[in-house]
Amino acid sequence: MESVIDIEDLGLTFARDGQRNEVLRGLDLAVPRGAFIAIVGSSGVGKSTLLRVLIGLATASSGSVRITPRPGQRQPLALVFQDSRLLPWRTVIDNVAFGLEGGGLSRTERRHKAGAALEIVGLAHLAERWPHQLSGGQRQRVSLARALAVEPEVLLMDEPFSALDAITREGLQDELVRIWQLTGKTVLFVTHDIEEATYLADRVVVLAGSPGRVVADTIVDAPRPRRRSQSQVPDLVAGIRQHIVGETLVDGTGI
Protein backbone atom coordinates (compact mmCIF):
# COMPACT_ATOMS: atom_id res chain seq x y z
CA MET A 1 0.00 0.00 0.00
CA GLU A 2 1.24 3.49 -0.88
CA SER A 3 2.71 5.48 2.00
CA VAL A 4 1.67 9.05 2.69
CA ILE A 5 4.45 9.50 5.31
CA ASP A 6 7.88 7.85 5.17
CA ILE A 7 10.23 8.41 8.12
CA GLU A 8 13.79 7.10 7.78
CA ASP A 9 16.53 7.06 10.44
CA LEU A 10 15.01 10.08 12.18
CA GLY A 11 16.92 11.62 15.05
CA LEU A 12 16.34 14.71 17.16
CA THR A 13 18.74 16.25 19.66
CA PHE A 14 18.47 19.57 21.47
CA ALA A 15 20.47 21.47 24.05
CA ARG A 16 19.05 22.33 27.47
CA ASP A 17 20.96 24.01 30.31
CA GLY A 18 24.18 23.44 28.42
CA GLN A 19 23.58 19.71 28.06
CA ARG A 20 22.85 17.69 24.94
CA ASN A 21 19.52 15.83 25.05
CA GLU A 22 18.86 13.15 22.46
CA VAL A 23 15.10 12.57 22.21
CA LEU A 24 14.79 10.34 19.13
CA ARG A 25 17.31 8.13 17.35
CA GLY A 26 17.15 5.92 14.24
CA LEU A 27 13.37 6.05 13.99
CA ASP A 28 11.82 4.41 10.92
CA LEU A 29 8.11 4.41 10.16
CA ALA A 30 5.97 4.13 7.03
CA VAL A 31 2.37 5.32 7.26
CA PRO A 32 0.11 3.91 4.52
CA ARG A 33 -2.52 6.19 3.03
CA GLY A 34 -5.84 5.76 4.84
CA ALA A 35 -4.36 3.87 7.80
CA PHE A 36 -5.19 4.40 11.47
CA ILE A 37 -1.95 4.03 13.43
CA ALA A 38 -1.56 4.59 17.17
CA ILE A 39 1.78 5.46 18.77
CA VAL A 40 2.22 4.47 22.41
CA GLY A 41 5.03 4.63 24.91
CA SER A 42 5.99 5.91 28.34
CA SER A 43 6.05 9.62 29.19
CA GLY A 44 8.96 11.54 27.71
CA VAL A 45 9.84 8.96 25.07
CA GLY A 46 9.25 11.39 22.19
CA LYS A 47 5.72 10.59 20.96
CA SER A 48 4.55 14.21 20.84
CA THR A 49 7.96 15.34 19.59
CA LEU A 50 7.54 13.07 16.57
CA LEU A 51 4.24 14.75 15.68
CA ARG A 52 5.85 18.16 16.09
CA VAL A 53 8.56 17.18 13.63
CA LEU A 54 5.97 15.99 11.11
CA ILE A 55 3.91 19.19 11.32
CA GLY A 56 7.01 21.42 11.20
CA LEU A 57 7.02 22.68 14.79
CA ALA A 58 10.37 20.97 15.48
CA THR A 59 13.33 20.25 13.24
CA ALA A 60 14.94 16.82 13.04
CA SER A 61 18.69 16.62 13.64
CA SER A 62 19.18 13.69 11.28
CA GLY A 63 17.30 11.37 8.96
CA SER A 64 14.45 12.28 6.67
CA VAL A 65 10.69 12.73 6.56
CA ARG A 66 8.92 12.43 3.22
CA ILE A 67 5.26 13.39 2.93
CA THR A 68 3.47 12.46 -0.30
CA PRO A 69 0.12 14.27 -0.51
CA ARG A 70 -2.43 13.66 -3.22
CA PRO A 71 -2.14 15.94 -6.25
CA GLY A 72 -3.56 19.38 -5.48
CA GLN A 73 -3.63 18.78 -1.72
CA ARG A 74 -3.55 22.25 -0.11
CA GLN A 75 -2.60 21.21 3.41
CA PRO A 76 -1.50 17.58 3.82
CA LEU A 77 -1.32 17.56 7.65
CA ALA A 78 -3.37 18.95 10.53
CA LEU A 79 -2.67 18.58 14.25
CA VAL A 80 -5.24 18.08 17.02
CA PHE A 81 -3.78 18.90 20.45
CA GLN A 82 -4.46 17.48 23.90
CA ASP A 83 -6.43 20.61 24.80
CA SER A 84 -8.85 22.21 22.37
CA ARG A 85 -7.04 25.58 22.15
CA LEU A 86 -10.21 27.38 21.07
CA LEU A 87 -10.14 31.17 20.88
CA PRO A 88 -12.62 32.38 23.52
CA TRP A 89 -13.55 35.53 21.58
CA ARG A 90 -14.67 33.54 18.52
CA THR A 91 -17.85 31.55 18.06
CA VAL A 92 -17.63 27.83 17.37
CA ILE A 93 -17.93 28.24 13.59
CA ASP A 94 -15.38 31.03 13.52
CA ASN A 95 -12.96 28.90 15.54
CA VAL A 96 -13.36 26.10 13.01
CA ALA A 97 -12.82 28.55 10.14
CA PHE A 98 -9.65 29.98 11.70
CA GLY A 99 -7.25 27.67 9.84
CA LEU A 100 -8.78 28.68 6.51
CA GLU A 101 -7.84 32.32 6.88
CA GLY A 102 -5.10 33.53 4.58
CA GLY A 103 -5.93 30.89 1.99
CA GLY A 104 -7.69 33.15 -0.47
CA LEU A 105 -11.23 32.12 0.47
CA SER A 106 -14.01 34.60 1.16
CA ARG A 107 -15.60 34.71 4.61
CA THR A 108 -18.69 33.02 3.15
CA GLU A 109 -16.57 30.21 1.69
CA ARG A 110 -14.67 29.76 4.96
CA ARG A 111 -17.89 29.54 6.97
CA HIS A 112 -19.34 27.07 4.47
CA LYS A 113 -16.33 24.76 4.87
CA ALA A 114 -16.39 25.22 8.64
CA GLY A 115 -20.08 24.37 8.71
CA ALA A 116 -19.46 21.19 6.70
CA ALA A 117 -16.75 20.15 9.18
CA LEU A 118 -19.11 20.78 12.10
CA GLU A 119 -21.69 18.57 10.36
CA ILE A 120 -19.13 15.75 10.25
CA VAL A 121 -18.50 15.93 14.02
CA GLY A 122 -22.20 16.36 14.79
CA LEU A 123 -22.06 19.93 16.15
CA ALA A 124 -23.63 22.02 13.39
CA HIS A 125 -26.39 23.01 15.81
CA LEU A 126 -23.83 24.67 18.10
CA ALA A 127 -22.15 26.75 15.39
CA GLU A 128 -22.98 30.14 16.94
CA ARG A 129 -22.16 29.24 20.54
CA TRP A 130 -19.07 30.43 22.39
CA PRO A 131 -16.37 28.05 23.69
CA HIS A 132 -17.32 28.66 27.34
CA GLN A 133 -20.80 27.32 26.57
CA LEU A 134 -19.46 23.91 25.53
CA SER A 135 -18.59 20.78 27.48
CA GLY A 136 -15.05 19.39 27.39
CA GLY A 137 -16.06 16.74 24.89
CA GLN A 138 -17.76 19.29 22.66
CA ARG A 139 -14.68 21.51 22.70
CA GLN A 140 -12.53 18.60 21.53
CA ARG A 141 -14.99 17.86 18.74
CA VAL A 142 -14.75 21.50 17.66
CA SER A 143 -10.96 21.13 17.67
CA LEU A 144 -11.30 18.08 15.44
CA ALA A 145 -13.67 19.98 13.14
CA ARG A 146 -11.10 22.79 12.88
CA ALA A 147 -8.53 20.23 11.70
CA LEU A 148 -10.98 18.66 9.23
CA ALA A 149 -11.97 22.05 7.80
CA VAL A 150 -8.58 22.52 6.12
CA GLU A 151 -9.16 19.18 4.37
CA PRO A 152 -5.87 17.52 5.33
CA GLU A 153 -4.89 14.09 4.15
CA VAL A 154 -3.44 13.17 7.54
CA LEU A 155 -4.80 13.89 11.01
CA LEU A 156 -2.08 14.02 13.66
CA MET A 157 -3.67 13.61 17.09
CA ASP A 158 -1.68 14.26 20.26
CA GLU A 159 -3.49 12.55 23.17
CA PRO A 160 -6.71 14.42 22.29
CA PHE A 161 -8.93 12.58 24.79
CA SER A 162 -6.60 12.25 27.77
CA ALA A 163 -8.14 15.09 29.81
CA LEU A 164 -11.73 13.83 29.47
CA ASP A 165 -13.78 11.65 31.80
CA ALA A 166 -14.11 7.96 30.90
CA ILE A 167 -17.66 8.11 29.49
CA THR A 168 -16.94 11.15 27.30
CA ARG A 169 -13.66 9.62 26.20
CA GLU A 170 -15.25 6.37 25.04
CA GLY A 171 -17.93 8.30 23.17
CA LEU A 172 -15.31 10.36 21.34
CA GLN A 173 -13.28 7.26 20.51
CA ASP A 174 -16.33 5.83 18.74
CA GLU A 175 -16.96 9.19 17.06
CA LEU A 176 -13.38 9.32 15.79
CA VAL A 177 -13.64 5.84 14.26
CA ARG A 178 -16.88 6.89 12.54
CA ILE A 179 -15.23 10.05 11.14
CA TRP A 180 -12.16 8.10 10.00
CA GLN A 181 -14.33 5.59 8.14
CA LEU A 182 -16.49 8.38 6.69
CA THR A 183 -13.65 10.59 5.44
CA GLY A 184 -10.92 8.09 4.59
CA LYS A 185 -8.31 10.26 6.33
CA THR A 186 -5.00 8.84 7.49
CA VAL A 187 -4.77 9.07 11.30
CA LEU A 188 -1.60 9.07 13.40
CA PHE A 189 -2.82 8.98 17.00
CA VAL A 190 -0.51 9.45 19.99
CA THR A 191 -1.70 8.07 23.32
CA HIS A 192 -0.24 6.70 26.56
CA ASP A 193 -3.33 4.47 26.92
CA ILE A 194 -2.67 1.03 25.40
CA GLU A 195 -6.34 -0.01 25.64
CA GLU A 196 -7.33 3.11 23.71
CA ALA A 197 -4.69 2.37 21.07
CA THR A 198 -5.81 -1.22 20.49
CA TYR A 199 -9.48 -0.21 20.38
CA LEU A 200 -8.95 2.52 17.80
CA ALA A 201 -6.07 1.57 15.55
CA ASP A 202 -5.19 -1.00 12.91
CA ARG A 203 -1.53 -0.85 13.97
CA VAL A 204 0.08 0.08 17.28
CA VAL A 205 3.65 1.36 17.12
CA VAL A 206 5.60 1.28 20.38
CA LEU A 207 8.25 3.91 21.10
CA ALA A 208 10.56 3.11 23.97
CA GLY A 209 14.06 3.73 25.26
CA SER A 210 16.14 6.82 25.81
CA PRO A 211 16.52 8.10 23.14
CA GLY A 212 13.17 6.94 21.80
CA ARG A 213 12.99 4.46 18.96
CA VAL A 214 10.48 2.00 17.49
CA VAL A 215 10.67 -1.28 19.41
CA ALA A 216 7.45 -2.93 18.20
CA ASP A 217 4.88 -2.56 15.44
CA THR A 218 1.77 -4.64 16.14
CA ILE A 219 -1.14 -5.33 13.79
CA VAL A 220 -4.56 -5.13 15.49
CA ASP A 221 -6.63 -7.70 13.62
CA ALA A 222 -9.79 -7.43 15.74
CA PRO A 223 -12.77 -6.94 13.38
CA ARG A 224 -14.76 -3.71 13.22
CA PRO A 225 -17.05 -2.58 14.72
CA ARG A 226 -15.05 -3.46 17.81
CA ARG A 227 -16.14 -4.23 21.32
CA ARG A 228 -13.85 -3.32 24.19
CA SER A 229 -14.31 -6.82 25.58
CA GLN A 230 -13.15 -8.64 22.41
CA SER A 231 -10.95 -11.60 23.26
CA GLN A 232 -8.04 -10.46 21.06
CA VAL A 233 -7.67 -7.08 22.74
CA PRO A 234 -6.46 -8.11 26.24
CA ASP A 235 -3.72 -10.29 24.74
CA LEU A 236 -2.61 -7.45 22.46
CA VAL A 237 -2.58 -5.01 25.37
CA ALA A 238 -0.47 -7.37 27.47
CA GLY A 239 2.05 -7.89 24.68
CA ILE A 240 2.39 -4.17 23.96
CA ARG A 241 2.76 -3.36 27.65
CA GLN A 242 5.55 -5.93 27.91
CA HIS A 243 7.45 -4.21 25.10
CA ILE A 244 7.20 -0.88 26.93
CA VAL A 245 8.08 -2.24 30.36
CA GLY A 246 10.90 -4.41 29.03
CA GLU A 247 12.60 -1.55 27.19
CA THR A 248 12.06 0.78 30.15
CA LEU A 249 13.80 -1.64 32.51
CA VAL A 250 16.68 -2.12 30.09
CA ASP A 251 17.23 1.64 29.70
CA GLY A 252 16.64 2.40 33.36
CA THR A 253 14.02 5.06 32.63
CA GLY A 254 10.74 5.53 34.49
CA ILE A 255 7.28 4.89 33.13
Side-chain angles (χ1 to χ4, degrees):
M1 188 180 295
E2 180 190 13
S3 295
V4 64
I5 298 175
D6 286 287
I7 303 168
E8 295 182 0
D9 200 28
L10 184 71
L12 188 143
T13 302
F14 65 91
R16 175 182 292 170
D17 300 328
Q19 294 195 354
R20 180 175 176 273
N21 293 274
E22 191 177 11
V23 182
L24 300 170
R25 179 196 292 172
L27 195 150
D28 296 306
L29 181 64
V31 180
R33 201 178 303 277
F36 196 131
I37 297 177
I39 299 176
V40 301
S42 57
S43 298
V45 78
K47 303 185 300 296
S48 297
T49 300
L50 174 58
L51 296 193
R52 290 173 64 84
V53 170
L54 294 178
I55 202 72
L57 296 176
T59 302
S61 306
S62 60
S64 65
V65 174
R66 184 173 68 254
I67 298 170
T68 310
R70 297 184 191 277
Q73 185 81 47
R74 173 178 172 267
Q75 188 164 332
L77 308 177
L79 177 59
V80 180
F81 294 94
Q82 182 175 345
D83 52 29
S84 60
R85 304 194 180 190
L86 302 183
L87 302 174
W89 57 88
R90 285 178 175 247
T91 61
V92 164
I93 194 166
D94 286 333
N95 263 286
V96 174
F98 179 71
L100 296 167
E101 295 178 5
L105 300 176
S106 68
R107 185 171 186 271
T108 298
E109 290 171 322
R110 294 196 303 269
R111 286 176 65 88
H112 176 75
K113 286 182 175 291
L118 285 171
E119 286 278 2
I120 291 173
V121 302
L123 290 183
H125 61 295
L126 301 182
E128 299 302 332
R129 289 199 181 177
W130 301 92
H132 74 270
Q133 296 176 305
L134 306 178
S135 68
Q138 288 170 338
R139 286 194 292 272
Q140 282 303 93
R141 286 161 74 185
V142 173
S143 179
L144 177 55
R146 182 175 56 196
L148 291 170
V150 301
E151 299 178 341
E153 181 148 6
V154 182
L155 283 173
L156 306 176
M157 308 192 74
D158 190 6
E159 302 196 45
F161 308 147
S162 61
L164 302 173
D165 65 85
I167 298 299
T168 302
R169 183 173 187 153
E170 289 186 1
L172 284 180
Q173 289 169 354
D174 293 335
E175 184 74 358
L176 177 58
V177 171
R178 181 189 68 79
I179 291 168
W180 168 64
Q181 293 175 327
L182 174 69
T183 64
K185 302 293 183 188
T186 305
V187 178
L188 201 54
F189 188 97
V190 161
T191 179
H192 65 274
D193 186 325
I194 303 171
E195 286 82 359
E196 179 174 65
T198 54
Y199 181 71
L200 290 173
D202 292 323
R203 281 170 56 199
V204 179
V205 174
V206 179
L207 295 191
S210 181
R213 60 196 183 278
V214 174
V215 299
D217 190 339
T218 302
I219 300 296
V220 182
D221 58 2
R224 298 182 186 273
R226 289 181 183 159
R227 302 185 309 278
R228 289 174 173 82
S229 60
Q230 278 176 298
S231 59
Q232 302 99 316
V233 172
D235 290 340
L236 285 170
V237 169
I240 292 166
R241 179 173 287 113
Q242 189 57 48
H243 281 296
I244 296 172
V245 172
E247 290 292 331
T248 298
L249 292 176
V250 167
D251 288 323
T253 55
I255 297 178

